[in-house]
């Protein structure tokens, strides 16, 4: 996909790209040139080249590759803060879009892991977080608090959940339209109607039996036997169908009862958790610690509001509308806060270091999907690995693309609608963001996806370099050149003699330096290994196949004007020879016949 080449190759590529159409000189003057013809100087210069341009506008569909240094993009702390802010917003976006959101918000293991985040006096004092890189950093508490997180990202959480509510409402309406009613009772009613319809149909089929007229007593006996068999078969079919439908109705009832039991158990667990939190708060208040509620306005001394467990996670109204609990004490806010802390802690404790290489090392590790949970406060995420695979991992990749777009339109993503639309477009796989070692990257290239993005780590002479690679599908313009075959053979033979027999292993030897007249460097490097060092070898198409005697005998020689002229000449020679032989043999036979006839007559 990409090969910029060496200095010598670049000089020869420039020679190929030079246009001779602008040359109007002839010797020392410029008299101009005729249309569609080269000038005198251009024709003279082209005559001494070992190659010629056969097509100037050869268009192919390919990728235009651009690479930018990642060190210059994250050298300043303000730029790192922008990336981390997009990182947190991307985590919230993927949480709101995931189909397992309700399960996560009601899972007792996840809720127990997030329980410390609900306390009003909680603060994350990990040295990973710093005021230089974290927008929600609380200078008063010297860390991240629930209050500071809400002040920064609560509006974005509400907007994402409003979009999620609209999606759920649309799904509920479509389900009601398709099913004509919901719930287990509706399904049992439809099964009962289906059973009655089938039974009535089978009963009517029994009454309208054969209409053939019986002949004699034997015919009446056969007709009665046939009707009796038909009635017995219909009765057995009715019994089997009735048993099958009743079994299905029982299964639906059991599933509905199982779901209701699980719902009651989750509600009971939530009430127990809330009672435990209330007892803990009462114990702290009795020992002299006042429990204060964290609100958006940041009022101090206010009593704690209703515990998060008492508020339903999702409420479906009778008119089909859906409401998610996005209050400040909700489990949704706790989940978003916990995942944001986990993701930023995985980014590395050196994000605020003066050396940008440490920050890029952690960013590249997360971009590859190498998440290392080292803090025991983040181990609750192992309850469901989808939290890492489908939330945190794609969030870091999405934030890198948003950070690139920030340089083009700095103020566009300050509006929630624009930011949500950009994230939604990236989630729909219009842009493939993956590591180059990921099999999905290769599959995307082979599938000709329109745009790809990757973060590359280049180790050059012990120096770590990080580059952001962007591939865009477009039509590229190429030039096709034709090289003198004897020039190629001579240069390759010279390289074989110099490397194999003379043992010259100097990588900067003079025989491979650039020569625009013969394209010496490009031709020598395209020789087969170990003589040459080609970056890419195409499938064998022409080569010297016509010089192979067996292949020429099977597939025939190449069609050239000389071959056509030789065939025509040989054909004409054979025609003349055959015609001459025919005329000579015909004349002699007639003469002999006449002579023979005359002799016989005599």
């Amino acid at each position: 996909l990409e090969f910029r080449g060496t200095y010598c190759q670049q000089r020869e590529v420039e020679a190929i790209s030079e246009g001779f159409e602008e040359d109007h000189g002839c010797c020392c003057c410029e008299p101009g040139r005729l249309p569609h013809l080269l000038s005198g100087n251009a024709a003279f210069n082209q005559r001494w080249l070992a190659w010629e341009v056969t097509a100037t506008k050869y268009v192919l569909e390919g990728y235009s590759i651009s690479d930018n240094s990642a060190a210059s993009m994250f050298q300043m702390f303000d730029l790192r803060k922008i990336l981390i802010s997009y990182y947190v917003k991307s985590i919230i976006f993927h949480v709101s879009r995931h189909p397992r959101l309700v399960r996560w918000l009601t899972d007792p293991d996840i809720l127990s892991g997030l329980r410390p985040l609900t306390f009003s006096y909680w603060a994350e004092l990990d040295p990973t977080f710093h005021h230089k890189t974290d927008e929600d950093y609380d200078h008063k508490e010297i860390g991240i608090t629930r209050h500071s997180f809400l002040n920064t990202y609560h509006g974005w959480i509400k907007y994402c959940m409003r979009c999620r509510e609209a999606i759920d409402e649309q799904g509920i309406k479509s389900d009601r339209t398709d099913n004509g009613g919901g719930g287990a009772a509706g399904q049992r009613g439809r099964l009962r109607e289906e059973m009655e319809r089938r039974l009535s149909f089978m009963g009517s089929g029994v009454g309208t039996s054969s209409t053939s007229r019986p002949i004699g007593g034997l015919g009446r006996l056969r007709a009665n036997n046939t009707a009796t068999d038909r009635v017995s078969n219909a009765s057995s079919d009715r019994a089997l169908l009735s048993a099958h439908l009743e079994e299905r109705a029982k299964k639906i009832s059991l599933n509905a009862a199982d779901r209701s039991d699980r719902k009651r158990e989750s509600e009971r667990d939530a009430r127990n958790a809330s009672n435990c939190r209330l007892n803990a708060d009462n114990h702290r208040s009795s020992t002299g610690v006042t429990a204060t509620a964290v609100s958006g306005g940041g009022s101090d001394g206010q009593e704690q509001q209703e515990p998060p467990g008492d508020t339903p996670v999702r409420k479906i109204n009778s008119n089909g509308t859906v409401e998610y609990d996005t209050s400040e004490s909700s489990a949704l806010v706790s989940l978003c806060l916990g995942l944001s802390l986990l993701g930023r802690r995985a980014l590395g404790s050196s994000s605020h270091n003066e050396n940008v290489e440490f920050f890029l090392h952690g960013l590249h590790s997360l971009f590859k999907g190498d998440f290392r949970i080292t803090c025991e406060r983040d181990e609750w995420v192992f309850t469901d690995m989808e939290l890492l695979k489908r939330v945190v991992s794609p969030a870091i990749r999405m934030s890198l693309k948003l950070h690139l777009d920030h340089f083009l339109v700095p103020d566009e993503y300050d509006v929630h609608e624009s930011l949500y639309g950009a994230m939604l477009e990236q989630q729909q796989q219009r842009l493939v963001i993956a590591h180059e070692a990921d099999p999905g990257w290769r599959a995307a290239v082979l599938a000709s996806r329109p745009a790809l993005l990757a973060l590359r780590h280049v180790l050059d002479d012990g120096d770590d370099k990080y580059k952001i690679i962007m591939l865009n599908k477009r039509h590229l313009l190429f030039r096709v050149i034709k090289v003198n075959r004897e020039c190629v053979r001579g240069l390759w033979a010279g390289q074989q003699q110099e490397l194999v027999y003379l043992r010259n292993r100097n990588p900067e030897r003079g025989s491979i330096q650039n020569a625009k007249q013969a394209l010496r460097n490009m031709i020598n490097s395209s020789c087969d290994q170990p003589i040459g060092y080609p970056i890419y070898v195409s499938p064998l198409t022409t080569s010297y196949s016509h010089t192979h005697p067996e292949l020429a005998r099977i597939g025939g020689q190449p069609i050239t004007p000389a071959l056509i002229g030789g065939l025509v000449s040989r054909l004409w020679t054979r025609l003349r020879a055959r015609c001459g032989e025919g005329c000579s043999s015909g004349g002699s036979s007639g003469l002999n016949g006449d002579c023979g006839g005359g002799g016989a007559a005599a």
Side-chain angles (χ1 to χ4, degrees):
L1 289 177
E2 57 175 316
F3 179 66
R4 297 189 179 277
T6 60
Y7 175 81
C8 295
Q9 287 181 341
Q10 288 296 319
R11 301 290 76 77
E12 294 179 355
V13 169
E14 291 175 0
I16 296 173
S17 304
E18 289 178 358
F20 295 95
E21 295 81 3
E22 300 178 357
D23 191 352
H24 301 279
C26 182
C27 294
C28 300
C29 57
E30 293 186 359
R33 62 183 181 87
L34 296 175
H36 307 290
L37 293 177
L38 295 175
S39 63
N41 291 345
F44 184 79
N45 293 331
Q46 289 289 306
R47 183 65 182 83
W48 299 104
L49 297 179
W51 52 272
E52 61 176 340
V53 179
T54 59
T56 58
K57 295 182 179 180
Y58 191 77
V59 180
L60 291 176
E61 191 178 16
Y63 284 104
S64 176
I65 305 173
S66 61
D67 58 337
N68 300 313
S69 176
S72 60
M73 299 178 60
F74 299 105
Q75 189 68 45
M76 301 175 60
F77 289 112
D78 292 339
L79 298 178
R80 302 184 201 179
K81 181 182 289 187
I82 293 172
L83 175 72
I84 293 177
S85 177
Y86 285 140
Y87 184 25
V88 176
K89 290 182 179 180
S90 299
I91 290 175
I92 297 173
F93 170 80
H94 284 90
V95 167
S96 65
R97 298 279 301 181
H98 203 280
R100 295 188 184 181
L101 176 60
V102 178
R103 183 191 301 180
W104 292 340
L105 297 179
T106 55
D107 193 310
D109 296 332
I110 295 178
L111 293 178
S112 62
L114 298 174
R115 186 176 303 167
L117 307 182
T118 60
F119 299 149
S120 58
Y121 55 84
W122 171 86
E124 183 59 62
L125 306 180
D126 196 305
T128 302
F129 308 102
H130 200 269
H131 67 90
K132 294 181 180 179
T133 55
D134 296 293
E135 191 174 355
D136 55 344
Y137 188 83
D138 193 340
H139 293 271
K140 183 179 179 181
E141 298 291 340
I142 316 177
I144 305 295
T145 62
R146 191 183 185 95
H147 179 80
S148 61
F149 178 80
L150 287 169
N151 286 338
T152 307
Y153 300 108
H154 197 199
W156 174 246
I157 294 175
K158 290 182 178 180
Y159 182 82
C160 292
M161 295 313 299
R162 284 199 299 268
C163 297
R164 172 63 182 262
E165 291 170 358
I167 296 174
D168 290 355
E169 291 173 3
Q170 185 178 2
I172 291 174
K173 290 179 181 179
S174 62
D175 292 341
R176 291 184 177 180
T177 303
D178 296 338
N179 299 331
Q187 294 183 5
R188 287 195 298 270
R190 288 191 296 272
L191 284 175
R192 189 180 296 108
E193 292 176 0
E194 181 182 1
M195 181 176 63
E196 292 176 356
R197 180 177 58 82
R198 293 188 180 184
L199 292 178
S200 62
F201 173 75
M202 295 180 66
S204 62
V206 172
T208 57
S209 59
S210 175
T211 58
S212 60
R213 185 175 56 186
I215 301 175
L218 183 59
R220 285 192 298 271
L221 179 60
R222 290 178 178 176
N224 293 332
N225 292 337
T226 304
T228 304
D229 295 340
R230 195 178 295 114
V231 169
S232 61
N233 293 335
S235 302
S236 61
D237 291 342
R238 292 177 62 185
L240 291 175
L241 180 60
S242 177
H244 174 66
L245 294 177
E246 289 295 338
E247 184 179 359
R248 288 181 59 187
K250 290 180 181 179
K251 288 183 178 179
I252 293 174
S253 302
L254 291 175
N255 292 334
D258 189 17
R259 285 195 296 270
S260 62
D261 293 339
R262 287 199 299 268
K263 184 177 180 181
R264 285 194 295 270
E265 290 178 0
S266 62
E267 292 177 354
R268 184 171 62 255
D269 294 338
R271 286 195 297 270
N272 293 334
S274 62
N275 293 332
C276 293
R277 284 192 290 272
L278 286 176
N279 294 333
D281 292 340
N282 294 332
H283 176 70
R284 286 192 298 271
S285 61
S286 62
T287 55
V289 180
T290 304
T292 58
V294 179
S295 61
S299 59
D300 298 333
Q302 185 180 359
E303 294 184 358
Q304 189 172 3
Q305 301 292 333
E306 186 180 9
D310 294 343
T311 305
V313 173
R314 183 179 64 175
K315 181 180 180 182
I316 303 177
N317 300 321
S318 58
N319 56 356
T321 59
V322 179
E323 295 180 3
Y324 280 89
D325 183 15
T326 58
S327 61
E328 297 178 355
S329 59
S330 62
L332 176 64
V333 174
S334 301
L335 178 63
C336 295
L337 175 58
L339 287 175
S340 69
L341 296 175
L342 180 147
R344 284 182 280 184
R345 191 179 283 114
L347 186 58
S349 59
S350 58
S351 59
H352 56 275
N353 196 294
E354 295 290 343
N355 191 354
V356 70
E357 299 297 334
F358 293 99
F359 177 79
L360 291 175
H361 175 73
L363 179 62
H364 184 258
S365 299
L366 294 189
F367 194 88
K368 293 189 301 181
D370 185 9
F371 288 88
R372 301 186 180 184
I373 308 302
T374 57
C375 183
E376 62 179 7
R377 296 190 296 274
D378 298 332
E379 292 181 355
W380 58 270
V381 76
F382 295 123
T383 304
D384 192 347
M385 294 303 294
E386 284 288 310
L387 291 168
L388 286 177
K389 295 179 180 179
R390 296 291 181 265
V391 176
V392 185
S393 180
I396 189 64
R397 300 179 178 182
M398 180 180 289
S399 62
L400 183 61
K401 179 60 173 63
L402 295 174
H403 187 269
L404 287 176
D405 297 339
H406 177 79
F407 291 96
L408 300 177
V409 280
D411 300 331
E412 181 179 1
Y413 292 156
D414 293 341
V415 182
H416 292 336
E417 290 81 1
S418 302
L419 181 59
Y420 192 88
M423 291 182 175
L424 188 62
E425 182 179 0
Q426 294 184 25
Q427 192 188 36
Q428 293 174 352
Q429 294 297 324
R430 295 181 183 179
L431 173 66
V432 178
I433 306 176
H435 189 256
E436 290 179 292
D438 192 344
W441 176 270
R442 177 178 175 82
V445 172
L446 296 178
S448 298
R449 300 302 296 270
L452 296 93
L453 179 69
L455 180 62
R456 176 183 297 175
H457 179 209
V458 181
L459 186 61
D460 187 10
D461 296 334
D463 186 15
D464 290 339
K465 294 182 180 179
Y466 295 90
K467 295 182 179 181
I468 298 177
I469 308 299
M470 187 72 182
L471 276 67
N472 293 309
K473 193 68 173 295
R474 62 182 60 181
H475 291 87
L476 304 178
L477 187 64
F478 294 90
R479 284 195 171 199
V480 181
I481 63 172
K482 181 180 179 181
V483 186
N484 189 331
R485 65 177 63 186
E486 296 301 329
C487 177
V488 175
R489 289 182 177 182
L491 290 174
W492 284 2
Q495 287 298 305
Q496 293 175 12
Q497 181 182 13
E498 187 175 2
L499 291 176
V500 177
Y501 295 101
L502 302 181
R503 301 291 183 178
N504 185 6
R505 297 295 183 179
N506 185 9
E508 295 297 334
R509 56 189 181 275
S511 60
I512 60 173
Q513 301 304 316
N514 69 89
K516 297 181 180 180
Q517 291 77 15
L519 303 181
R520 180 171 57 187
N521 184 270
M522 296 179 67
I523 291 175
N524 286 332
S525 64
S526 63
C527 184
D528 292 338
Q529 293 179 351
I531 304 301
Y533 44 94
I535 189 65
Y536 172 75
V537 180
S538 65
L540 187 63
T541 54
T542 55
S543 187
Y544 303 115
S545 59
H546 61 280
T547 61
H548 198 282
E550 295 182 3
L551 186 60
R553 186 172 62 253
I554 296 174
Q557 297 181 356
I559 300 176
T560 59
L563 178 63
I564 296 174
L567 289 175
V568 173
S569 177
R570 286 193 297 271
L571 179 62
W572 176 251
T573 304
R574 294 188 64 180
L575 286 174
R576 288 185 60 186
R578 290 294 184 183
C579 290
E581 291 175 359
C583 295
S584 300
S585 62
S588 60
S589 65
L591 183 59
N592 295 332
D594 293 341
C595 296

